[in-house]
Amino acid sequence: MEIFRQITANNIELKNYPFLKELAMEAYLMENGDILKLDTENFADVTVLDAEIALKSGRKTSDRDGRIDILAKYGLDYLALIELKINEINDQSLSQLEDYLNERHQILKKHPEFWAEVESDPNWIGVLVGSSISPELQRRLQDGYTTANGIPIAGMILRRFRSIKNEIFVITDTFFKYNYTSRDFSKFEFKGQIYNKARLVNRVVRTFVEENPTISYAKLEKVFPQILQGSIGVFDTKENAQEIYDRTGHKRHYLKSDELIKLSDSIIATSNQWGLGNITHFINHVDNLNNDYRIENK
């Protein structure tokens, strides 16, 4: 059965605007990394690191070298190998991605800077992106598919549309079932709401500022020492955070208007770079800060 999909936005007619080449899809995702988010938990904070990374003998089935389309980072826990297909992703695409994942050790050996800010070794995830998905692969991913080494695999269908005014709209369908465990420390409850690591920090700092509306940047640093996060810091001024993003292309802070936090003397952006190690330091600090700031791992 064929699926009929009609898309409108405020009565604006949208026409299909597919990517004609994988390099065009790659370039678009490099500039719009947030599209690659997989859920609202561990895999919501995406940083695109690089593209077109060569892997020696990366294709086992054909004894050829391979090339990773995109390397990305999810928070400070996961490195992702992202394989792009202009058409359908299927079991053959999955086999190719698994070949690359088997050679993942080459990446950090050649490019240690991709994980230099984190003390622990990365977890890995594979992501397949295409314009459609085979029924067989869809079933496998929705059942929670992992490689023989336990690496989870996600699939994403990416559809692009254009309006008469040349406005671009992107629709994604994600096929991913991740089995969260207590070891992941993926979800946290704070004041009755559930957050992932980075969103938890934003909410805790925001709550403290709301309860202390005259607090300054310097005083907030004493409440939440920057060392709790590590080299980036728990927060920075909006201007500095934007400059880092403009200079590096890596969004290390929450910069949207509803994510920024207004202090008495500045506006700040909290870091989105949180992994198991530094979020544990932050939570332990908060537990000693205020008895009302209880954080539970869910």
Side-chain angles (χ1 to χ4, degrees):
M1 182 183 76
E2 236 178 86
I3 297 175
F4 174 72
R5 174 168 286 170
Q6 179 173 278
I7 300 174
T8 59
N10 296 327
N11 295 320
I12 300 172
E13 181 182 356
L14 300 180
K15 293 186 177 181
N16 195 31
Y17 184 45
F19 296 98
L20 299 180
K21 295 183 179 180
E22 287 179 9
L23 283 177
M25 180 187 290
E26 178 183 292
Y28 187 82
L29 290 173
M30 290 286 289
E31 295 179 357
N32 301 275
D34 285 348
I35 292 174
L36 293 168
K37 65 167 51 177
L38 303 177
D39 61 14
T40 59
E41 311 300 343
N42 261 10
F43 305 96
D45 299 307
V46 191
T47 301
V48 174
L49 299 174
D50 205 352
E52 298 295 310
I53 302 174
L55 284 183
K56 186 175 179 58
S57 301
R59 297 300 310 276
K60 299 305 181 187
T61 54
S62 58
D63 197 29
R64 291 189 288 121
D65 291 346
R67 188 173 295 275
I68 298 169
D69 291 326
I70 293 178
L71 179 71
K73 180 169 65 173
Y74 289 95
L76 286 186
D77 286 327
Y78 293 87
L79 279 177
L81 302 193
I82 300 174
E83 176 64 23
L84 307 180
K85 298 297 180 187
I86 198 67
N87 296 311
E88 180 186 82
I89 53 175
N90 49 39
D91 285 350
Q92 184 177 353
S93 314
L94 176 61
S95 177
Q96 180 180 347
L97 180 58
E98 290 190 279
D99 283 348
Y100 292 165
L101 285 166
N102 287 335
E103 296 297 325
R104 63 192 182 279
H105 63 277
Q106 295 186 34
I107 298 171
L108 293 185
K109 186 175 181 180
K110 294 179 181 178
H111 303 283
E113 68 275 10
F114 290 149
W115 204 249
E117 298 173 352
V118 189
E119 297 178 1
S120 59
D121 293 333
N123 296 308
W124 293 84
I125 182 172
V127 183
L128 291 166
V129 181
S131 58
S132 62
I133 185 171
S134 70
E136 295 80 8
L137 180 60
Q138 179 176 334
R139 284 193 293 269
R140 297 175 79 175
L141 298 183
Q142 288 179 321
D143 288 339
Y145 182 83
T146 61
T147 70
N149 295 322
I151 298 173
I153 303 294
M156 178 180 291
I157 302 307
L158 182 65
R159 299 180 180 90
R160 190 172 64 161
F161 302 86
R162 183 168 61 182
S163 72
I164 297 176
K165 296 181 179 180
N166 286 325
E167 298 167 308
I168 304 301
F169 298 81
V170 173
I171 307 295
T172 61
D173 296 321
T174 301
F175 306 93
F176 183 47
K177 181 181 179 182
Y178 185 73
N179 296 317
Y180 291 98
T181 67
S182 59
R183 182 179 177 277
D184 295 313
F185 288 86
S186 306
K187 296 184 286 186
F188 302 89
E189 182 176 336
F190 176 68
K191 293 188 177 294
Q193 298 294 318
I194 304 297
Y195 303 94
N196 68 10
K197 300 179 187 72
R199 294 290 179 186
L200 171 72
V201 173
N202 184 272
R203 183 68 261 176
V204 170
V205 174
R206 182 182 302 278
T207 298
F208 188 87
V209 171
E210 288 172 352
E211 294 175 356
N212 300 271
T214 62
I215 195 166
S216 66
Y217 188 98
K219 289 184 178 180
L220 191 64
E221 278 190 311
K222 293 181 179 180
V223 178
F224 299 102
Q226 303 286 22
I227 197 173
L228 290 173
Q229 190 282 333
S231 60
I232 298 174
V234 177
F235 56 87
D236 205 338
T237 64
K238 172 188 174 183
E239 293 77 15
N240 286 346
Q242 185 66 51
E243 189 277 330
I244 291 172
Y245 177 55
D246 293 340
R247 173 168 46 84
T248 67
H250 296 163
K251 189 178 291 185
R252 302 180 185 276
H253 300 81
Y254 287 127
L255 289 168
K256 294 180 181 178
S257 59
D258 59 343
E259 298 167 339
L260 298 170
I261 301 171
K262 182 174 174 49
L263 307 183
S264 63
D265 58 353
S266 59
I267 297 176
I268 63 169
T270 59
S271 169
N272 60 16
Q273 301 293 291
W274 296 89
L276 178 58
N278 56 7
I279 197 63
T280 301
H281 296 321
F282 181 84
I283 290 173
N284 289 340
H285 176 77
V286 170
D287 283 344
N288 295 321
L289 180 68
N290 189 321
N291 290 332
D292 293 332
Y293 283 24
R294 302 302 302 174
I295 298 171
E296 299 291 336
N297 176 233
K298 304 303 287 184

